Amino acid sequence: MAKSLVIVESPAKARTIEKFLGRGYQVTASMGHVRDLPKSQLGIDIEHDFTPKYITVRGKGNIVSSLREQVRKADRVLLATDPDREGEAISWHLSTLLRLGSDRPLRITFHEITQDAVKNALKNPRPIDHQLVDAQQARRVLDRLVGYQLSPLLWRKVRGGLSAGRVQSVAVRLIVDREAEIQSFVPEEYWTITAALSLDGQSFSARYWGQAGKRVELHNAAEVKEVRRALGWSRTGPRKTLLVKSVRRQERKRNPAAPFTTATLQQEAARKLGFTARRTMRVAQELYEGLSVGGEHLGLITYMRTDSTRVAQQAIDEAESYVRQRWGPPYSTRRAGSARAGAQDAHEAVRPTSVVRTPDALRQDLGRDQLRLYRLIWERFVASQMAPAVLDTVRVDLVGSAEHTFRATGSTVKFPGFMVLYVEGRDETGDQERRSTEEDGEDQEQGNPLPVLEEGDAPELRSLDAAQHFTEPPPRYTEAMLVRTLEERGIGRPSTYAAIIETIESRDYVEREQRRFRPTEIGVLVTELLKEHFPSIVDVAFTAGMEQRLDEIEEGQRSWESVVRDFYAEFAPALSAADAVIPRLEVPEEETDEVCPECGRPMVIKHGRFGRFLACSGYPECKTTKPILQRTGVGCPKCKEGELVARRSRRGRTFYGCSRYPECDYVLWDEPVAACPVCGSPMTRKRGRQGGHWVACTNPECDHREVEGEATKLEPGVASGRHRE
């Protein structure tokens, strides 16, 4: 029987699809890209309108030969690569190499690997979408022009092994600029006054707000003293009270977060699971391509590269039925979702392919990371189809002498709605944003239960406590914050963020300090050089504008050649000018407190092809080198002599082991932050499913943990940071 040949990218995807098709189909994998620009040269003919010179990817010759043989025997060939620009480009390259003809209806797409989706796609083949291919090709050519022409300039002028990129350099600039803000930040003093009050035996608090209906900032102790004097406050003598001037009660609804896009999935996985963007995308790819569940190979989530929150009607119906059955009709609300302005709306949001396939039902079939990420996706989607939470909120203004006003806010949950299942995590906010929220009384979800207050009530004023504060600089970026900023500013595509972050770390432009990005000295130097000589390359608005032009290519509004031509007309002269005027820059070696164990001279940080390392400053007389250890300050509980330091596994995962390895082989996977005050074992930072965190003892015999500095207790053995010896 003549067979139809279906070509996909990966063997895992091939195995899943093959289960859905009959004996008349053969499914095979191209193992990703089969053609690309050569690594050894620019590979772009600038003189002939930037024509790319594609070659077969090294090591793919046998795969291409095998594909050609399978094509020769097949009655029909279908290209089922991923449904995005990259997947369309792979299909185009395959059609060219295998001489299939890209104008024939041989392209099928589906955004979830389920039997219905695959069979529907087979009924609707189409030609290659050349506009999608052109948009991908434009991005590839632009990135190659910048990377392969600007990076050698950095090698000549700064140091070998550096790189520059159209998007990565902007990401580094964001981190460098944030560090400059932090370093130049001048703290400003401000004060708060908190009134401790009581009515009918119920205590509550109110914060000083202002005077005579106007918001007032307290800048120093003298102003605080004046407020207290005006209020007639005395710790020993008669006290004036505060009268309730106004009570505003209202019902407030809080809607659930939309289903995941690529960017929001990366952000939430970073907040709640501690995943890097690359780890998130790797695990999501496994869930999408299919895993063995109960002896059946199934795709568990929809395509994970999407900008849209749109959801298919069938998925909405399934979620509605599930929610009504589990929690009841009041908890169900249907939402179709939408795409943000400028989003690529070719795909749905990231969601489970079947809501009925609950995380608990898959517990025995999935690995730890797979289950945790699947649970996050499943809960986020189901919650998005649930009713809003309803909160009863109250804001009370209390007035004393000279119309000095205190404000108390509080809330209670009237109806939990989606919150019974899932609440979105939060990033750390800046000091100004946090203060503004507190001052406006918008932090009502924090509780502060209030007694029933009415206008004219005069609660007892028990104390009037003042506290001095200083404004804080903006926080350094976490990975979640950086991804959110890149997305909000339209820099790159969410599907590229993992590679961008990995690149800027591997080039030593940034390093992580307590899970936050800090620019290195070389990162600052290269960024300042690019800002001076290539301002558009590291300009946020320019880079975002380029993304818009790539979208216009996809929509058929521009030709890819014209976009590249316009860019290069500005870039080429800047490159020549910079090469002529930039002198060779000497990057000073970064000294450390480490002493060479051989000769006693100081160790310095050097850079090699595998990253940074310690080397003796006496080189070449002394050639001693050592790896750089990220210290935690927590002692090893096994040998009592070493210190726990961060290391990397062969798969790139960070773990923590004794600095005396191999003499001592103690390891932890969670980050140690302190020694347990009860038993002395390491305590590690843990993250809750709702985004909170605490530190817990790793000793299974100890039940100590601390939440925000307060000691609490767990049942014995609950602390989950087990150590293995």
Coordinates of all heavy atoms in Angstrom, one line a residue, residues 85 130-132 134-136 138-139 342-344 493 544-560 562-563 566:
R85 N 6.8 30.8 12.9 CA 7.7 31.2 11.9 C 8.8 30.2 11.7 O 9.2 29.8 10.6 CB 8.3 32.6 12.2 CG 7.3 33.7 12.1 CD 8.0 35.0 12.6 NE 7.1 36.2 12.7 CZ 7.4 37.3 13.2 NH1 8.6 37.5 13.8 NH2 6.6 38.3 13.2
H130 N 4.8 31.8 2.5 CA 6.1 32.5 2.3 C 6.3 33.7 3.1 O 7.4 34.2 3.3 CB 6.3 32.7 0.8 CG 6.5 31.5 0.0 ND1 7.8 30.9 0.0 CD2 5.7 30.7 -0.7 CE1 7.7 29.8 -0.8 NE2 6.5 29.6 -1.2
Q131 N 5.2 34.3 3.5 CA 5.3 35.5 4.4 C 5.9 35.2 5.7 O 6.7 35.9 6.3 CB 3.9 36.2 4.5 CG 3.5 36.9 3.2 CD 2.1 37.4 3.2 OE1 1.5 37.8 2.2 NE2 1.5 37.4 4.4
L132 N 5.4 34.1 6.3 CA 6.0 33.6 7.5 C 7.5 33.3 7.4 O 8.3 33.6 8.2 CB 5.2 32.3 8.0 CG 4.0 32.5 8.9 CD1 3.4 31.1 9.2 CD2 4.4 33.1 10.2
D134 N 9.5 34.5 5.1 CA 10.2 35.8 5.0 C 10.5 36.5 6.3 O 11.6 37.0 6.5 CB 9.5 36.7 4.0 CG 9.5 36.2 2.6 OD1 10.3 35.3 2.3 OD2 8.8 36.8 1.7
A135 N 9.5 36.4 7.2 CA 9.7 37.1 8.5 C 10.8 36.4 9.3 O 11.6 37.0 9.9 CB 8.4 37.1 9.3
Q136 N 10.8 35.0 9.2 CA 11.9 34.3 9.9 C 13.2 34.6 9.3 O 14.2 34.7 10.0 CB 11.5 32.8 9.9 CG 12.4 31.9 10.8 CD 13.7 31.5 10.1 OE1 13.8 31.6 8.8 NE2 14.7 31.0 10.8
A138 N 14.2 37.2 7.6 CA 14.6 38.5 7.9 C 15.3 38.6 9.3 O 16.3 39.2 9.5 CB 13.5 39.5 7.9
R139 N 14.6 37.9 10.3 CA 15.2 37.9 11.6 C 16.6 37.2 11.6 O 17.5 37.7 12.2 CB 14.3 37.2 12.6 CG 14.8 37.1 14.0 CD 13.9 36.2 14.9 NE 12.6 36.8 15.0 CZ 12.3 37.7 15.9 NH1 13.2 38.2 16.7 NH2 11.1 38.2 16.0
G342 N -0.6 43.7 18.7 CA 0.7 43.4 18.1 C 1.1 41.9 18.3 O 2.2 41.5 17.9
A343 N 0.2 41.1 19.0 CA 0.6 39.7 19.2 C 0.4 38.9 18.0 O -0.4 39.2 17.1 CB -0.3 39.2 20.4
Q344 N 1.1 37.8 17.9 CA 0.9 36.8 16.9 C -0.2 35.9 17.3 O 0.0 35.1 18.2 CB 2.2 36.0 16.6 CG 3.4 36.9 16.1 CD 4.6 36.1 15.9 OE1 4.5 35.0 15.2 NE2 5.7 36.5 16.4
R493 N 11.1 38.1 20.9 CA 9.9 37.3 21.0 C 10.0 36.4 22.2 O 11.2 35.9 22.5 CB 9.7 36.4 19.8 CG 9.1 37.2 18.6 CD 7.7 37.6 18.9 NE 7.2 38.5 17.8 CZ 6.2 39.3 18.0 NH1 5.6 39.4 19.2 NH2 5.7 40.0 17.0
A544 N 12.3 47.4 19.5 CA 10.9 47.1 19.5 C 10.3 47.4 18.1 O 9.5 46.7 17.6 CB 10.2 47.9 20.6
G545 N 10.8 48.5 17.5 CA 10.3 48.9 16.2 C 10.7 47.9 15.1 O 9.9 47.6 14.2
M546 N 11.8 47.3 15.3 CA 12.2 46.2 14.3 C 11.3 45.0 14.5 O 11.0 44.4 13.5 CB 13.7 45.8 14.6 CG 14.2 44.8 13.6 SD 14.2 45.4 11.9 CE 15.5 46.7 11.9
E547 N 10.9 44.7 15.7 CA 10.0 43.6 15.9 C 8.7 43.9 15.1 O 8.1 43.0 14.5 CB 9.7 43.3 17.4 CG 10.9 42.8 18.1 CD 11.3 41.4 17.6 OE1 10.5 40.7 17.1 OE2 12.5 41.1 17.8
Q548 N 8.2 45.1 15.2 CA 7.0 45.5 14.5 C 7.2 45.3 13.0 O 6.3 44.9 12.3 CB 6.6 46.9 14.8 CG 5.3 47.4 14.2 CD 4.9 48.8 14.7 OE1 5.5 49.3 15.6 NE2 3.9 49.3 14.0
R549 N 8.4 45.7 12.5 CA 8.6 45.5 11.0 C 8.6 44.1 10.6 O 8.2 43.7 9.5 CB 9.9 46.3 10.6 CG 9.7 47.8 10.7 CD 11.0 48.5 10.1 NE 12.0 48.6 11.1 CZ 12.1 49.5 12.0 NH1 11.2 50.4 12.2 NH2 13.2 49.5 12.8
L550 N 9.1 43.2 11.5 CA 9.1 41.8 11.2 C 7.7 41.3 11.1 O 7.3 40.4 10.3 CB 9.9 41.0 12.3 CG 11.4 41.3 12.3 CD1 12.1 40.6 13.5 CD2 12.1 40.8 11.0
D551 N 6.8 41.8 12.0 CA 5.4 41.4 12.0 C 4.8 41.9 10.7 O 3.9 41.2 10.1 CB 4.7 42.0 13.2 CG 5.0 41.4 14.5 OD1 5.6 40.3 14.5 OD2 4.8 42.0 15.5
E552 N 5.2 43.1 10.2 CA 4.6 43.6 8.9 C 5.1 42.7 7.8 O 4.3 42.6 6.8 CB 5.1 45.1 8.8 CG 4.4 46.0 9.8 CD 5.0 47.4 9.8 OE1 6.0 47.6 9.1 OE2 4.5 48.2 10.5
I553 N 6.3 42.2 7.8 CA 6.7 41.2 6.8 C 5.8 40.0 6.8 O 5.3 39.6 5.7 CB 8.1 40.8 7.0 CG1 9.1 42.0 6.8 CG2 8.5 39.7 6.0 CD1 10.5 41.6 7.3
E554 N 5.5 39.5 8.0 CA 4.6 38.3 8.1 C 3.2 38.7 7.5 O 2.5 37.8 7.0 CB 4.5 37.9 9.5 CG 3.6 36.7 9.8 CD 3.6 36.3 11.2 OE1 4.6 36.5 11.9 OE2 2.5 35.7 11.6
E555 N 2.8 39.9 7.7 CA 1.4 40.3 7.2 C 1.4 40.7 5.8 O 0.4 41.1 5.2 CB 0.9 41.4 8.1 CG 0.7 41.0 9.6 CD 0.6 42.2 10.5 OE1 0.7 43.3 10.0 OE2 0.5 41.9 11.7
G556 N 2.6 40.7 5.1 CA 2.7 41.0 3.7 C 2.7 42.5 3.4 O 2.6 42.9 2.3
Q557 N 3.0 43.3 4.4 CA 3.0 44.8 4.3 C 4.4 45.3 3.9 O 4.6 46.4 3.4 CB 2.6 45.5 5.5 CG 1.2 45.1 5.9 CD 0.8 45.7 7.3 OE1 1.5 46.5 7.9 NE2 -0.3 45.2 7.8
R558 N 5.5 44.5 4.1 CA 6.8 44.9 3.7 C 7.5 43.7 3.1 O 7.2 42.5 3.4 CB 7.6 45.4 4.9 CG 7.2 46.7 5.6 CD 8.0 46.9 6.8 NE 7.7 48.2 7.5 CZ 8.3 49.3 7.4 NH1 9.4 49.4 6.6 NH2 8.0 50.4 8.0
S559 N 8.6 44.0 2.3 CA 9.4 42.9 1.9 C 10.6 42.7 2.9 O 11.1 43.7 3.5 CB 10.0 43.2 0.5 OG 10.9 44.2 0.5
W560 N 11.0 41.5 3.0 CA 12.1 41.3 4.0 C 13.4 41.9 3.5 O 14.2 42.4 4.4 CB 12.3 39.8 4.2 CG 13.1 39.0 3.2 CD1 12.5 38.3 2.1 CD2 14.5 38.8 3.1 NE1 13.5 37.8 1.4 CE2 14.7 38.0 1.9 CE3 15.6 39.3 3.8 CZ2 16.0 37.7 1.5 CZ3 16.8 38.9 3.4 CH2 17.1 38.1 2.3
S562 N 13.8 44.8 2.0 CA 13.7 46.2 2.2 C 14.0 46.5 3.7 O 14.7 47.5 4.1 CB 12.4 46.9 1.8 OG 11.3 46.4 2.7
V563 N 13.5 45.7 4.6 CA 13.8 45.9 6.0 C 15.2 45.7 6.4 O 15.8 46.5 7.1 CB 12.9 44.9 6.9 CG1 13.3 44.9 8.3 CG2 11.4 45.2 6.7
D566 N 17.3 48.7 4.8 CA 17.2 49.9 5.6 C 18.1 49.8 6.9 O 18.7 50.8 7.2 CB 15.8 50.2 6.0 CG 14.9 50.5 4.8 OD1 15.5 50.8 3.7 OD2 13.7 50.5 4.9

